[in-house]
Amino acid sequence: MLVLVCYDVNTETKAGRRRLRRVAKLCEATGQRVQKSVFECQIDLAHMEELERKLRAEIDETQDCLRLYRLPDTRGTEVREFGRFKAVDFEAPLIL
């Protein structure tokens, strides 16, 4: 399934900037960045739950915001993108 991870981490303090780096690293290890604080992750339910647990351990729920959108069947879903970024097609063959 496709999971969209969106976050807003308060970076007014040194601890907040550290949280932001940790959250971004977790997301980068799991999916692809499509905007500064938005990632697309092609993962199964078990990996989504693991990612959610790890991200919730990093954020401060009194200051930060974390949203995960689960899109279980992406066939037929239309994504329109404009500008420089071009997403990786997870379904296409991988050519090294």
Side-chain angles (χ1 to χ4, degrees), residues 12-24:
E12 293 176 355
T13 65
K14 187 175 182 179
R17 291 186 291 276
R18 186 170 48 248
R19 286 194 314 273
L20 176 64
R21 284 191 301 273
R22 290 179 178 167
V23 167

Side-chain angles (χ1 to χ4, degrees), residues 2-50:
L2 180 64
V3 176
L4 294 180
V5 179
C6 310
Y7 57 86
D8 186 14
V9 176
N10 184 330
T11 58
E12 293 176 355
T13 65
K14 187 175 182 179
R17 291 186 291 276
R18 186 170 48 248
R19 286 194 314 273
L20 176 64
R21 284 191 301 273
R22 290 179 178 167
V23 167
K25 284 185 181 190
L26 282 170
C27 291
E28 287 170 346
T30 307
Q32 67 177 340
R33 187 185 297 260
V34 293
Q35 290 188 359
K36 290 192 184 280
S37 297
V38 180
F39 285 79
E40 291 179 346
C41 305
Q42 190 74 34
I43 53 179
D44 59 25
L45 184 58
H47 284 103
M48 179 187 161
E49 290 172 353
E50 178 183 358

Side-chain angles (χ1 to χ4, degrees), residues 15-85:
R17 291 186 291 276
R18 186 170 48 248
R19 286 194 314 273
L20 176 64
R21 284 191 301 273
R22 290 179 178 167
V23 167
K25 284 185 181 190
L26 282 170
C27 291
E28 287 170 346
T30 307
Q32 67 177 340
R33 187 185 297 260
V34 293
Q35 290 188 359
K36 290 192 184 280
S37 297
V38 180
F39 285 79
E40 291 179 346
C41 305
Q42 190 74 34
I43 53 179
D44 59 25
L45 184 58
H47 284 103
M48 179 187 161
E49 290 172 353
E50 178 183 358
L51 177 61
E52 179 182 339
R53 180 181 49 77
K54 288 179 179 179
L55 289 170
R56 289 191 66 195
E58 293 297 337
I59 68 165
D60 179 345
E61 291 188 11
T62 65
Q63 298 183 42
D64 307 330
C65 177
L66 172 67
R67 298 177 70 109
L68 289 90
Y69 296 90
R70 179 178 160 202
L71 306 172
D73 184 8
T74 58
R75 282 182 228 116
T77 301
E78 182 179 345
V79 176
R80 295 180 184 192
E81 58 184 74
F82 306 94
R84 292 183 18 182
F85 179 77

